[in-house]
Amino acid sequence: MVKEYKTITQVAGPLIFVEKTEPVGYGEFVNIRLADGTIKRGEVLDTSEDVVVVQVYEGTGGLNKDCAVTFTGDSLKLPASIDLLGRILSGSGLPRDGGPQIVPEKMMDIYGAAMNPYSRAQPEEFIQTGISTIDGTNTLVRGQKLPIFSGSGLPHMEIALQIARQAQVPGSTEKFAVVFAAMGITNEEAQHAMADFEKTGALERAVVFLNLADDPAVERLITPKMALTTAEYLAYEHDMHVLVILTDVTNYCEALRQMGAAREEVPARRGYPGYMYTDLAGIYERAGVIKGNKGSVTQIPILTMPGDDITHPIPDLSGYITEGQIVVSQELHRKGIYPPINVLPSLSRLMNSGIGNGKTREDHKAVSDQLYAGYAEGRDLRGLVAIVGKEALSERDKKILEFADLFEDQFVRQGRSENRTIEDTLQVGWNILSSLPKAYLGRIDNKYIDKYYPENKAE
């Protein structure tokens, strides 16, 4: 027999407080019946002998002390099915595209199970995004978690959509899918994203979870868990290679802070809850490859750094957990360069295990190192030119300065729908390097220079 409790004592923000219940579990799924028969869903956030705190996914509008609360005895589950592909769902997994309800092949707990560290395989298969600054100098590897650190007003959503359209494993015939989870984005951004997915046909191999800015903040907290549970189902039940794009993690953390304030928790750095590191790790660590399993889950979380501050708690904690970062630059964006990715503070810690002979190309590492070194020196020289003028530079410095401009204009800049293969990316790199005499290419082995250097450009 199911018990209904009409013992709500308080409604505070997204929370309700229920008294005199039987023992209930943390994370237990809750149904709340309003006077008009409408059912709202919630989850137990805190439980004690006297009071149970429930967070309501659809918001607490219309709730009062006469509403009936039912504890289901189970946690929130995702109706997992291969039919999720091609669907657009709300942040809590309900259809948002006018289509039918999902008929589940199995019900999966959205909190997942921790991946045994011993069962993890080393990520080492290259994923081609078609973007040179990622493929060439900050390579993404299957099973990696590589966040994009962006700023307000920068085209991180455009970059995310381009990656979702273009991502593939070159030469592989294995099944590939994209799970796109948007948290707290505006209706305009959502419309743009959906139009892009539908226009390019990428929706056929994608599952989209949309939590809009005017949707309840509580729903934002389960959106990435819904997305990752879907990814794990496709990867480990259907042997698919799944790329999960989460945008915007900053909105997720703001929802965490809002919930913490509603529960009157003691805040930590900048008002965020002290458990934010653990909470983010619970999301990021669900990426990976399991030994003996054909599928994989790769993550690209996108976060906007408040005030472009990379030391802010959200990018700071994300950097500890993830395996590198792609940094989007205000300076390059002001120059009209797309994608405005600054390779200097960017890093992919797993790059070396996913490139080289048999994976990308034998000269990949050397070309990447030389491009990075040349661009870093050219950026330093720009600061010097501002002080002493270009005329005071040596001939070598002038060439390096020109190289930095070429690097931004030809290697970094590309079209919004331009899908470069890794061979295209490396060729663009060699073309830029050919503006320098061979003697300047100290990070590239002579055998690669003999094989790949475009002749008759500079000696």
Side-chain angles (χ1 to χ4, degrees):
M1 179 181 167
V2 178
K3 288 185 180 178
E4 279 192 343
Y5 294 90
K6 291 193 173 183
T7 55
I8 297 175
T9 58
Q10 185 183 354
V11 179
L15 307 180
I16 61 172
F17 296 79
V18 188
E19 277 189 344
K20 299 174 184 171
T21 67
E22 62 192 43
V24 296
Y26 176 78
E28 195 168 314
F29 189 50
V30 178
N31 287 319
I32 303 130
R33 184 168 55 82
L34 279 65
D36 62 0
T38 307
I39 300 293
K40 291 197 173 192
R41 303 176 305 156
E43 178 186 338
V44 174
L45 200 63
D46 202 356
T47 178
S48 66
E49 287 185 11
D50 303 318
V51 178
V52 174
V53 182
V54 177
Q55 61 179 13
V56 184
Y57 294 137
E58 288 91 358
T60 51
L63 292 184
N64 56 41
K65 294 182 179 180
D66 297 325
C67 295
V69 179
T70 307
F71 298 95
T72 64
D74 210 347
S75 59
L76 183 59
K77 287 184 163 51
L78 171 81
S81 165
I82 193 69
D83 295 333
L84 283 166
L85 286 169
R87 295 300 300 273
I88 301 170
L89 308 170
S90 72
S92 55
L94 299 176
R96 199 165 197 143
D97 53 7
Q101 292 285 344
I102 304 296
V103 178
E105 292 170 14
K106 68 185 293 189
M107 299 298 289
M108 294 182 68
D109 190 327
I110 66 165
Y111 293 97
M115 203 182 288
N116 186 335
Y118 182 76
S119 69
R120 285 182 181 268
Q122 172 70 20
E124 55 183 19
E125 290 182 79
F126 166 66
I127 292 180
Q128 180 177 289
T129 65
I131 297 173
S132 291
T133 40
I134 298 177
D135 295 346
T137 53
N138 299 284
T139 309
L140 178 65
V141 181
R142 230 184 227 174
Q144 186 176 5
K145 39 195 180 288
L146 185 64
I148 294 176
F149 288 3
S150 185
S152 182
L154 293 176
H156 45 269
M157 181 64 92
E158 293 281 347
I159 296 170
L161 291 171
Q162 188 169 355
I163 292 171
R165 287 195 307 270
Q166 298 177 175
Q168 59 170 304
V169 177
S172 172
T173 56
E174 295 169 305
K175 294 176 288 185
F176 194 89
V178 174
V179 177
F180 188 88
M183 297 165 279
I185 65 170
T186 64
N187 199 52
E188 182 185 2
E189 288 174 316
Q191 296 290 347
H192 173 66
M194 292 309 95
D196 188 274
F197 270 117
E198 288 165 6
K199 181 178 71 179
T200 59
L203 188 60
E204 292 175 10
R205 60 165 190 169
V207 187
V208 179
F209 291 87
L210 282 183
N211 169 269
L212 302 182
D214 58 350
D215 287 335
V218 175
E219 186 184 85
R220 219 157 286 158
L221 298 180
I222 59 170
T223 302
K225 298 174 179 68
M226 283 279 180
L228 288 162
T229 305
T230 303
E232 288 166 352
Y233 172 75
L234 295 173
Y236 306 134
E237 300 284 337
H238 291 277
D239 296 336
M240 300 181 82
H241 296 288
V242 187
L243 175 64
V244 183
I245 298 174
L246 305 173
T247 180
D248 179 340
V249 174
T250 301
N251 292 335
Y252 173 85
C253 293
E254 293 294 344
L256 267 185
R257 181 161 68 172
Q258 185 177 333
M259 293 305 303
R263 293 169 65 185
E264 298 181 0
E265 295 171 342
V266 177
R269 287 169 64 192
R270 304 209 191 176
Y272 292 96
Y275 52 79
M276 188 166 77
Y277 178 88
T278 311
D279 197 287
L280 288 174
I283 294 172
Y284 296 147
E285 290 293 339
R286 290 174 74 171
V289 183
I290 296 177
K291 291 175 187 172
N293 202 302
K294 293 180 182 176
S296 65
V297 177
T298 307
Q299 269 189 49
I300 299 185
I302 297 171
L303 56 94
T304 49
M305 300 178 289
D308 286 337
D309 179 10
I310 203 167
T311 66
H312 186 278
I314 301 171
D316 189 36
L317 296 179
S318 295
Y320 281 121
I321 305 163
T322 55
E323 292 138 357
Q325 71 274 336
I326 305 294
V327 180
V328 185
S329 160
Q330 292 278 10
E331 181 189 347
L332 292 175
H333 184 56
R334 282 194 295 269
K335 289 181 178 180
I337 293 173
Y338 175 88
I341 293 172
N342 185 356
V343 301
L344 299 184
S346 299
L347 168 71
S348 171
R349 293 191 180 99
L350 299 184
M351 174 174 173
N352 290 347
S353 64
I355 64 172
N357 201 14
K359 294 175 181 175
T360 52
R361 210 169 74 179
E362 57 186 351
D363 59 324
H364 188 158
K365 180 77 171 87
V367 171
S368 172
D369 288 349
Q370 189 65 62
L371 289 171
Y372 186 98
Y375 183 55
E377 190 176 350
R379 287 279 294 254
D380 287 342
L381 287 169
R382 285 177 185 170
L384 187 63
V385 166
I387 300 167
V388 301
K390 195 171 181 179
E391 295 73 21
L393 298 182
S394 66
E395 282 304 311
R396 179 188 182 282
D397 287 350
K398 285 177 183 175
K399 284 188 176 293
I400 296 290
L401 196 62
E402 289 168 12
F403 170 83
D405 293 335
L406 280 174
F407 180 83
E408 288 178 356
D409 195 54
Q410 295 181 22
F411 191 85
V412 179
R413 187 197 299 272
Q414 61 184 91
R416 291 172 190 265
S417 57
E418 184 181 352
N419 188 359
R420 292 181 183 170
T421 64
I422 186 60
E423 288 77 17
D424 292 339
T425 290
L426 292 173
Q427 188 56 52
V428 171
W430 276 108
N431 289 344
I432 299 166
L433 290 171
S434 70
S435 67
L436 300 173
K438 291 179 183 178
Y440 292 5
L441 308 183
R443 294 174 181 267
I444 303 181
D445 196 295
N446 284 334
K447 64 181 179 182
Y448 299 143
I449 294 176
D450 294 341
K451 186 173 181 180
Y452 296 108
Y453 187 90
E455 288 299 327
N456 306 320
K457 291 277 184 78
E459 287 295 335

